[in-house]
Amino acid sequence: MKIRLLAGLVALGLAATGCGGATVDGTAGSSAPTGGAGASAGPSGTVKIAINPWVGYEASANVVAYLLENELGHDVELPEIKEQLAWEGFETGDVDVIIENWGHPDLKKQFIEEKKVAVEAGSTGNKGVIGWYIPKWMADEYPGITDYRNLNKYAELFRTSESGDQGQLLFGDPSYVSNEDALIRNLKLDYKVVVGGSEAALIKSAQQAQEQRRPLLFYFWDPHWLFSETELVRVNLPPYTEGCDADPKKVACDYPEMDLDKIVSKRFADTGGKAYELVKNFSWTNEHQNAVADDMTNGGMTGEQAAKKWVEANPTVWQAWIPK
C-alpha cells in the first residue's frame, strides 16, 4: 500500500527528533515504519521515498514505488519534505531514498563522507539543467535579449509591482537550488529575484507569458514536460567552468549540466535487499520522466495511475531494474 504523507506532519515529526530547517532545493521525508528507524525493507517491508516539490521528481518516485509494490511486494511511503530535511532523514531513519538529487556536494560531504549515514546509488539517467528562460516571442522580437550582457538594456520590460524599478527574475519554491542573488549582484544586473513560491506558479507564468505575449524572465529546469508544450528560450549566462560556483557568494557563471543521481540511507543500502537493488538499478531518460509527469499534470492522472500507464507501456525498460 502506498502512503502519501502530508509535509507539515512529517516536518513536525522530524523537528521532534532534532532536525533543522530546510535550505536549498525541496523534498519530503517519511515516518519510520513499524519496528523503528532501524527496520529493514525486507519482503513486504516499508520503503520510504522522500518527495521533492517538482513533478519530475514525483514521476520518478511514483514509478519506483509502483514497481516496489507490484513486483517486490513492499509497502511504500511517499512523504513530502524539503530537501535538507530529507537528507537529515537519513540520520533519523525517516527517509530511505532520495530518488533525484540535483548535485548538493555540501550535503554529500556532510551526510555521506562525514556522518556516513547515506550512500550514492547511481545515476537516474536524467540530465538536469537549471537556467534562466524567456518566452520565445521575446527572443524573436528583442535583438540580443538572450545574452546576459544585454539584460539591463531590457530591464524595464520585466518590471512588476513586486520588483519595483528593477526587472523581475521570477523564482519558484524558496527551497530550490539557487545562485540567483549572487548572479544578479556579480554580473551587475538591474534585476530583483521575486519568489513565485512553487513549480505551479512558474508554469502558469510561463504559459501566460507565451500565450498573452507578456514579458517574463524566470528560473526553470530541464527535464520538464513544459518544454514540449510551450516555446521557451534560455538566456546565455557566462559559461560554466569547473569550480566557478565553488564560492556561493562569488558565483558569476551559469549552472552546470548535472547527471542526476540517487541517494539512499546506508541502512537501506545494507539491509534493503532487492528493494535497494531495484532503486540502484533504476535508470531512465528525460523523455520517460516527462511522459509520466505530463500525465500527472495535464492528463488528470494520479501518480500511481501515471506510473501504471508507463510501466504497462515500457516493460523492456523496467524489467532490467528488477533484481534476479
Side-chain angles (χ1 to χ4, degrees):
M1 179 178 63
K2 190 185 294 103
I3 305 170
R4 186 75 178 237
L5 302 181
L6 295 177
L9 293 176
V10 176
L12 285 173
L14 285 172
T17 60
C19 292
T23 58
V24 292
D25 241 320
T27 290
S30 70
S31 62
T34 302
S40 65
S44 73
T46 299
V47 180
K48 299 162 287 182
I49 306 176
I51 295 291
N52 289 0
W54 59 91
V55 71
Y57 184 109
E58 291 192 55
S60 295
N62 274 277
V63 167
V64 172
Y66 185 87
L67 293 171
L68 284 168
E69 292 176 329
N70 292 280
E71 295 296 318
L72 299 185
H74 290 277
D75 287 342
V76 178
E77 293 178 357
L78 299 175
E80 299 177 358
I81 316 175
K82 302 299 184 182
E83 247 168 324
Q84 175 78 8
L85 289 177
W87 284 77
E88 291 171 358
F90 292 142
E91 190 170 17
T92 63
D94 291 303
V95 174
D96 293 320
V97 180
I98 290 175
I99 202 65
E100 181 179 287
N101 171 58
W102 286 68
H104 297 300
D106 55 334
L107 295 176
K108 286 186 175 182
K109 181 179 179 181
Q110 181 181 0
F111 290 96
I112 295 177
E113 297 177 19
E114 296 174 356
K115 294 188 174 183
K116 302 186 186 305
V117 294
V119 298
E120 296 174 319
S123 172
T124 67
N126 297 127
K127 304 301 180 183
V129 179
I130 297 170
W132 294 3
Y133 292 86
I134 58 174
K136 185 177 183 299
W137 72 264
M138 294 195 76
D140 294 338
E141 190 164 318
Y142 298 101
I145 197 171
T146 57
D147 186 331
Y148 81 95
R149 290 168 293 191
N150 294 325
L151 283 177
N152 283 345
K153 174 181 173 183
Y154 295 109
E156 187 174 354
L157 292 172
F158 298 104
R159 289 178 184 171
T160 67
S161 58
E162 290 85 358
S163 67
D165 59 0
Q166 296 175 296
Q168 172 181 276
L169 171 61
L170 185 65
F171 194 69
D173 189 304
S175 66
Y176 289 166
V177 170
S178 177
N179 294 331
E180 276 50 58
D181 286 326
L183 283 167
I184 287 172
R185 180 178 62 254
N186 296 327
L187 296 179
K188 297 179 171 54
L189 300 178
D190 190 21
Y191 284 77
K192 178 182 178 181
V193 177
V194 174
V195 177
S198 67
E199 177 187 34
L202 292 176
I203 292 171
K204 183 177 181 180
S205 295
Q207 291 172 328
Q208 290 177 340
Q210 182 64 5
E211 294 167 3
Q212 302 173 18
R213 295 178 68 83
R214 291 184 184 178
L216 179 68
L217 174 65
F218 69 111
Y219 167 107
F220 211 61
W221 60 92
D222 191 27
H224 203 287
W225 60 264
L226 183 63
F227 289 98
S228 65
E229 299 191 4
T230 302
E231 292 186 294
L232 304 171
V233 178
R234 189 174 178 185
V235 172
N236 296 312
L237 298 173
Y240 175 84
T241 57
E242 188 69 31
C244 70
D245 56 354
D247 186 340
K249 295 180 180 179
K250 297 181 180 179
V251 176
C253 59
D254 213 338
Y255 290 92
E257 178 179 294
M258 286 180 270
D259 183 17
L260 305 184
D261 61 350
K262 298 155 290 187
I263 310 295
V264 303
S265 73
K266 188 173 187 307
R267 180 189 305 107
F268 181 63
D270 291 342
T271 67
K274 289 188 175 183
Y276 165 67
E277 290 183 50
L278 191 156
V279 170
K280 188 174 182 180
N281 292 341
F282 166 70
S283 179
W284 64 352
T285 66
N286 286 11
E287 290 72 23
H288 288 147
Q289 186 187 89
N290 288 342
V292 177
D294 190 25
D295 282 336
M296 292 172 63
T297 306
N298 304 307
M301 294 185 182
T302 65
E304 186 171 8
Q305 290 169 339
K308 182 175 186 290
K309 176 184 174 182
W310 185 88
V311 166
E312 290 176 347
N314 296 276
T316 58
V317 179
W318 62 262
Q319 284 173 357
W321 309 338
I322 305 301
K324 300 299 188 247

